[in-house]
Amino acid sequence: MRIPDLNSLYDAGSRLLLESTVRVGVTGLRRAGKTVFVTAIVDNLLKSGRLPFMDVVSSGRFQAARLRPQPDPDVPRFDFEGHLAALTGPDPHWPEPTRGIGQMRVSLRYRPDSALKRTVQPMATLNLDLVDYPGEWLLDLPLLRQSFAEWSTQTLELAARPPRDELSASWRGWLATIDPAAPAEEEAARRGAALYTDYLHACRRADTLLSLIQPGRFVEPGDMKDAPLLTFCPLHGGQPNGSRGRGSLWALMEERYEAYKTNVVRRFFAEHFARLDRQIVLIDVLGALNAGPAGMADMKRALELSLEPFRHGSSGWLDWLFGSKIDRVLFAATKADHIAAHQHAQLRALLDRLVGDARNAIRFEGAQVETMAIAALKCTESVVTEHEGRQLRCVRGVPVGRDRPTVLFPGEIPEDAEAFPPGRDRPYNFLAFRPPDDLGRDPRGLPHIRVDQALQFLLGDYLT
């Protein structure tokens, strides 16, 4: 047997000391922009031309970044090249919504700023692992703490309130015709699941931007389409007639609900979220303003529920034994380029109010928390125009559905404590914009707003 010499042992120890890995959870509800955000992060790290607020770049210590094979061979690779081509091609457009899980690893090479580290080895490596997934899947995580009876009661109460009452009318009408205590029949289970799925799709399409959609696999099944695990729905339960008896429709639905939690939700959480070191929560605040009070309230509730299962708190040397905690969380209001630059502070202030309870709960556990207004891809420019003798701060870009640049006054983020003053239920109409036409010709990386500041908060201490 060959015995390694001291130099080999030294080199191996140096690699262990100066190569680390951080797993960042890019979380958020649907339409928050997770796919574009991951694409923008990777592109900007590879090109490093637009990261002045990352200390490792501004100090000249950043060497280069490169793509590496993702650490989990059974997880599909995030289609970075395809998404980047959609944004930068001859006909730039937004990538298709994420339909399944995707993972990517990008390795960063840099010079440590510590003289002690540099004496061991002049260059260090940080492996950054990122995961993309359909936003609806995030809302399955709260199911882990709910029984079928609790989830049914909560879901039925929510479905009976506006604006969901009209959307759920067919499904609730069917519920009124069935007896949960009756013998289980597969046809009844499939019919109930189909009507309930139609209701969830209606919520997804609603102008009020309804976010609380459970289970997420009902609308984004991925590779589970038509699986028996997806043929259940909430039921009226707990009646004196014994609706929870063995062999009943209730028992069948409950069994499938528990199987869904075990085989889908718990596995998804354990494989992708239980090992997170850092977390960014992307939030479409402007979309919620467009949706009105119901959409804003629904988003706030969905965010709070989705954050409950995560382990937040300060990390320590015993993490290897009990599992790591998320010790830094960034809440980011996305699409900040859709409003004029002077409005960014107010967008952040509104975000602070929206996530205030969740932020305080995470800080109580010992994690660092920050909020920002960002744009993963900057699609507009702020301009000043005159209208009826007064100056207006506007944005110039190509709105979705149009083919030429337009100067628009997008409206203003509310300064008061309430986003929706009495009597103004739908006062906002912030437009979406197309990606700019010339992105593919810029070697510096995708233009953005504060993505570098987000990276500095999430990774800065690893890159010292």
Side-chain angles (χ1 to χ4, degrees):
M1 181 179 68
R2 179 178 180 272
I3 299 176
D5 57 29
L6 291 179
N7 287 333
S8 298
L9 291 174
Y10 178 83
D11 291 342
S14 298
R15 285 193 296 271
L16 288 174
L17 179 62
L18 291 175
E19 181 164 340
S20 56
T21 298
V22 57
R23 191 175 179 90
V24 176
V26 182
T27 59
L29 306 178
R30 65 190 178 93
R31 294 189 281 194
K34 295 185 299 300
T35 298
V36 176
F37 181 78
V38 173
T39 303
I41 282 180
V42 175
D43 183 63
N44 275 283
L45 288 173
L46 292 176
K47 297 173 181 174
S48 66
R50 296 182 183 269
L51 302 173
F53 287 98
M54 283 190 74
D55 288 348
V56 70
V57 175
S58 62
S59 64
R61 294 186 296 108
F62 186 76
Q63 184 75 10
R66 64 178 297 184
L67 300 180
R68 303 291 295 276
Q70 67 264 37
D72 302 315
D74 58 336
V75 178
R77 183 178 182 274
F78 178 81
D79 186 16
F80 165 70
E81 293 82 2
H83 299 320
L84 185 64
L87 296 170
T88 62
D91 180 24
H93 58 278
W94 297 111
E96 290 296 317
T98 302
R99 303 296 185 190
I101 196 80
Q103 187 182 71
M104 170 145 286
R105 167 171 284 188
V106 55
S107 292
L108 316 181
R109 290 279 283 172
Y110 65 98
R111 292 194 303 274
D113 64 356
S114 165
L116 177 60
K117 290 181 180 179
R118 288 198 301 270
T119 60
V120 177
Q121 192 162 320
M123 300 299 295
T125 301
L126 175 66
N127 298 315
L128 172 61
D129 292 340
L130 301 162
V131 178
D132 185 37
Y133 60 94
E136 287 85 354
W137 293 6
L138 183 67
L139 286 171
D140 282 348
L141 301 184
L143 302 181
L144 294 174
R145 298 183 179 180
Q146 290 182 304
S147 68
F148 180 65
E150 291 168 337
W151 175 66
S152 291
T153 298
Q154 173 185 290
T155 304
L156 286 162
E157 289 176 352
L158 186 65
R161 296 199 298 263
R164 293 173 180 261
D165 53 346
E166 294 184 4
L167 304 178
S168 64
S170 295
W171 169 59
R172 290 187 297 115
W174 175 84
L175 286 176
T177 68
I178 59 103
D179 179 7
E185 294 183 1
E186 182 64 23
E187 181 57 33
R190 294 179 66 86
R191 178 61 176 164
L195 290 170
Y196 182 67
T197 301
D198 289 343
Y199 156 58
L200 294 181
H201 278 291
C203 291
R204 196 185 195 199
R205 294 189 300 266
D207 293 337
T208 45
L209 193 69
L210 297 174
S211 302
L212 191 52
I213 296 174
Q214 296 172 319
R217 299 274 181 157
F218 278 46
V219 292
E220 288 293 351
D223 59 357
M224 297 189 64
K225 186 177 181 181
D226 298 324
L229 281 178
L230 304 188
T231 50
F232 64 90
C233 71
L235 295 175
H236 295 287
Q239 298 93 333
N241 61 1
S243 63
R244 305 187 189 189
R246 181 177 298 178
S248 65
L249 181 61
W250 172 282
L252 176 64
M253 297 288 202
E254 183 176 38
E255 178 184 351
R256 290 181 175 175
Y257 171 81
E258 293 297 334
Y260 181 84
K261 286 168 54 177
T262 299
N263 298 315
V264 179
V265 185
R266 187 167 285 111
R267 179 180 176 184
F268 177 61
F269 182 76
E271 292 181 353
H272 301 294
F273 288 137
R275 297 178 289 149
L276 295 182
D277 303 298
R278 302 284 163 86
Q279 182 178 22
I280 179 169
V281 185
L282 303 179
I283 305 169
D284 184 8
V285 177
L286 297 179
L289 285 173
N290 284 346
M296 181 70 79
D298 201 75
M299 174 181 284
K300 184 176 187 297
R301 176 62 174 158
L303 282 170
E304 291 172 346
L305 286 173
S306 66
L307 289 170
E308 285 180 359
F310 292 96
R311 296 181 72 237
H312 298 107
S314 57
S315 297
W317 66 278
L318 286 177
D319 288 346
W320 67 273
L321 182 61
F322 299 108
S324 62
K325 290 183 179 180
I326 300 170
D327 59 1
R328 291 194 184 189
V329 179
L330 175 62
F331 290 98
T334 57
K335 308 173 186 177
D337 60 319
H338 293 187
I339 57 176
H342 77 289
Q343 289 278 293
H344 292 178
Q346 289 169 218
L347 178 60
R348 179 182 177 183
L350 181 57
L351 172 67
D352 284 335
R353 293 194 292 271
L354 180 64
V355 303
D357 292 340
R359 181 190 60 220
N360 292 338
I362 294 171
R363 282 179 175 166
F364 183 82
E365 296 299 327
Q368 297 184 46
V369 186
E370 185 59 270
T371 57
M372 291 182 189
I374 71 169
L377 177 61
K378 188 172 182 287
C379 300
T380 69
E381 299 290 338
S382 292
V383 297
V384 178
T385 62
E386 287 196 5
H387 177 70
E388 296 181 352
R390 60 186 288 246
Q391 288 189 332
L392 293 179
R393 297 183 182 183
C394 302
V395 293
R396 180 174 58 211
V398 182
V400 172
R402 304 184 191 180
D403 58 3
R404 62 185 61 187
T406 306
V407 174
L408 297 168
F409 177 67
E412 296 188 347
I413 304 297
E415 295 183 0
D416 51 12
E418 294 295 330
F420 300 96
R424 297 179 66 195
D425 287 347
R426 296 286 296 277
Y428 306 105
N429 185 27
F430 297 104
L431 296 181
F433 290 86
R434 288 176 44 197
D437 287 332
D438 57 352
L439 293 178
R441 296 192 293 270
D442 194 329
R444 296 173 296 170
L446 295 175
H448 59 82
I449 297 175
R450 300 185 189 91
V451 166
D452 53 346
Q453 295 181 42
L455 287 171
Q456 175 61 28
F457 174 75
L458 294 168
L459 306 177
D461 58 325
Y462 279 89
L463 297 169
T464 58

